[in-house]
Amino acid sequence: MTNILAANADSIRQAAAILRRGGLVAFPTETVYGLGADAQNESAVRAMFAAKGRPADHPVIMHLADATQVDEFAAEVPDVARTLAAAFWPGPMTLVFRRKRNVSPLVTGGLDTVGIRVPAHPIAHSLLREFGGPIVAPSANRFGRVSCTSALHVADELGGRADLILDGGDCPIGLESTIVDVSSGQPSILRPGAVTAEDVAGVLGSRPTGRIASAPRVSGSLPSHYAPRARVEIVAIDQLQQRTSDLLAEGRKVAVLTQTPAEVNARVHVLTLPQKLEDLAHNLYEMLRSVDQKGCDVALVTLPPEEGLGVAIGDRLRRAAGPRSSDRSESV
Ligand code: TXA
Ligand code: MG
């Protein structure tokens, strides 16, 4: 059984004690909920991979209470990384460094680099302080599925697989952190997020590169990720009505997610995406989950403008729509 406790000083103490004895604790961050384990306890890290159903070669992010701890785990902290950390930590940004040898290859999926983040969420921060060491935490969902932005989502995904869920309400941002690789001199964005390429350019004076072919594996960059059970299709706004009718004619149960819903068939489950990109990001995963709850087979989505936070929203929706392997199932 997984206990769910409202996050407060007492439950945070309990959570730290669970981590110390090798257990798994899900906790809120400003991006999404994480499934935490003691980064320096290999059997705890293994249990965390097993609970998620995550392949061993996919690295996890190490969370720290304080940016000054980075030098304990990063072999080299280039100036650009110090600048980015000063500007965006604590906050929704992960930096990828060359790792020191004290970082277990289990954490890094065998890579020579380690992803590190200092979260801003007060509950995540208190837990890290109370625990006193690094916590590895992937998003608290089963591998390949939609990340969790509420304690209830975590219970749906990982109930029985975590020892405790700290309930801290909805995650303010609702999309995973921006990942910036600073391990090779030239900063490069591996995963877009609430810290945008423009934000990064604003402090560095030059735009980071996009993902490069030789970049290390990022599971969030697999073709299908962040996906509900329903098939997701990206459609142009002027094709929405036709595609909806075609699918209805095939007998499909259809959901439509768009910022500009036109009159649609009463049989369609319509989810109006908020106009403000911050609100859209905040609600997106809840909406994708509701598509499954309504029993829809297909979700038709129109993309918001891909600028600013819209880049990260577009990225997640494209991945939700990405090709799935034929044997894709909850057992991945
Ligand atoms: O906002 C977030 O980043 C959330 C919260 C809980 O912190 N965490 C999260 O973790 O999204 P996860 O494991 O679902 O996604 C982390 C991504 C993965 O795609 C992983 O491949 C990538 O970070 N990553 C971790 N370490 C890396 C490394 N050394 N090099 C390249 N990518 C790395
Ligand atoms: Mg994830």
Side-chain angles (χ1 to χ4, degrees), residues 181-249:
D181 185 353
V182 290
S183 67
S184 65
Q186 173 72 357
S188 133
I189 295 189
L190 301 184
R191 178 175 72 182
V195 172
T196 63
E198 293 76 26
D199 295 333
V200 171
V203 300
L204 294 185
S206 67
R207 246 183 113 83
T209 60
R211 188 182 303 117
I212 43 174
S214 62
R217 289 155 294 191
V218 180
S219 65
S221 68
L222 293 175
S224 171
H225 217 77
Y226 312 110
R229 282 191 185 80
R231 188 174 86 225
V232 177
E233 276 182 36
I234 311 279
V235 284
I237 187 77
D238 58 354
Q239 269 152 40
L240 189 54
Q241 218 125 11
Q242 185 61 51
R243 187 66 188 133
T244 306
S245 321
D246 291 351
L247 287 165
L248 288 173

Side-chain angles (χ1 to χ4, degrees), residues 57 70-71 107 134 203 225 309 321:
D57 63 353
V70 158
D71 298 273
V107 167
V203 300
H225 217 77
L309 190 54

Side-chain angles (χ1 to χ4, degrees), residues 152-168:
L152 221 61
H153 297 171
V154 181
D156 283 347
E157 289 280 322
L158 295 172
R161 293 168 175 268
D163 298 293
L164 173 64
I165 300 169
L166 281 178
D167 186 352

Side-chain angles (χ1 to χ4, degrees), residues 44 124 129 215 287:
R129 290 295 291 269
M287 288 180 156

Side-chain angles (χ1 to χ4, degrees), residues 2-331:
T2 299
N3 224 348
I4 305 185
L5 294 175
N8 55 39
D10 186 50
S11 58
I12 289 171
R13 264 193 301 278
Q14 288 183 49
I18 290 171
L19 291 174
R20 259 178 233 119
R21 55 172 194 264
L24 304 180
V25 174
F27 61 95
T29 81
E30 69 274 32
T31 57
V32 297
Y33 274 73
L35 176 65
D38 177 353
Q40 292 171 308
N41 176 336
E42 294 207 334
S43 73
V45 176
R46 277 200 187 88
M48 178 272 288
F49 273 86
K52 256 195 81 104
R54 182 178 180 124
D57 63 353
H58 289 286
V60 279
I61 296 170
M62 183 185 264
H63 295 69
L64 301 176
D66 197 300
T68 59
Q69 296 170 304
V70 158
D71 298 273
E72 278 179 50
F73 306 103
E76 203 184 325
V77 182
D79 287 346
V80 283
R82 299 228 185 255
T83 306
L84 290 172
F88 301 114
W89 276 352
M93 181 189 66
T94 297
L95 292 175
V96 173
F97 300 96
R98 294 205 307 107
R99 73 172 170 94
K100 274 195 173 157
R101 302 192 74 84
N102 61 349
V103 179
S104 165
L106 283 183
V107 167
T108 68
L111 296 175
D112 270 345
T113 53
V114 58
I116 296 182
R117 174 157 110 84
V118 178
H121 196 291
I123 296 167
H125 184 71
S126 303
L127 179 63
L128 283 157
R129 290 295 291 269
E130 183 71 35
F131 177 63
I135 298 176
V136 281
S139 52
N141 51 283
R142 302 275 292 150
F143 184 66
R145 301 210 359 105
V146 178
S147 297
C148 295
T149 52
S150 78
L152 221 61
H153 297 171
V154 181
D156 283 347
E157 289 280 322
L158 295 172
R161 293 168 175 268
D163 298 293
L164 173 64
I165 300 169
L166 281 178
D167 186 352
D170 288 355
C171 299
I173 294 173
L175 293 180
E176 306 78 3
S177 61
T178 306
I179 303 181
V180 186
D181 185 353
V182 290
S183 67
S184 65
Q186 173 72 357
S188 133
I189 295 189
L190 301 184
R191 178 175 72 182
V195 172
T196 63
E198 293 76 26
D199 295 333
V200 171
V203 300
L204 294 185
S206 67
R207 246 183 113 83
T209 60
R211 188 182 303 117
I212 43 174
S214 62
R217 289 155 294 191
V218 180
S219 65
S221 68
L222 293 175
S224 171
H225 217 77
Y226 312 110
R229 282 191 185 80
R231 188 174 86 225
V232 177
E233 276 182 36
I234 311 279
V235 284
I237 187 77
D238 58 354
Q239 269 152 40
L240 189 54
Q241 218 125 11
Q242 185 61 51
R243 187 66 188 133
T244 306
S245 321
D246 291 351
L247 287 165
L248 288 173
E250 283 174 22
R252 305 277 176 200
K253 203 159 175 211
V254 180
V256 166
L257 287 79
T258 178
Q259 286 181 306
T260 47
E263 29 143 351
V264 262
N265 193 300
R267 284 185 292 157
V268 174
H269 177 46
V270 179
L271 291 150
T272 306
L273 298 175
Q275 291 299 321
K276 263 187 75 187
L277 293 179
E278 284 75 17
D279 296 338
L280 204 175
H282 179 79
N283 290 306
L284 181 65
Y285 289 156
E286 167 85 45
M287 288 180 156
L288 288 178
R289 274 173 197 279
S290 86
V291 167
D292 284 342
Q293 276 151 14
K294 290 276 177 186
C296 297
D297 314 303
V298 187
L300 299 179
V301 187
T302 67
L303 294 181
E306 289 187 80
E307 47 201 43
L309 190 54
V311 174
I313 294 167
D315 170 78
R316 303 309 190 275
L317 286 171
R318 285 180 207 286
R319 295 195 192 293
R324 300 176 184 186
S325 60
S326 53
D327 62 350
R328 185 183 173 284
S329 71
E330 288 121 284
S331 65

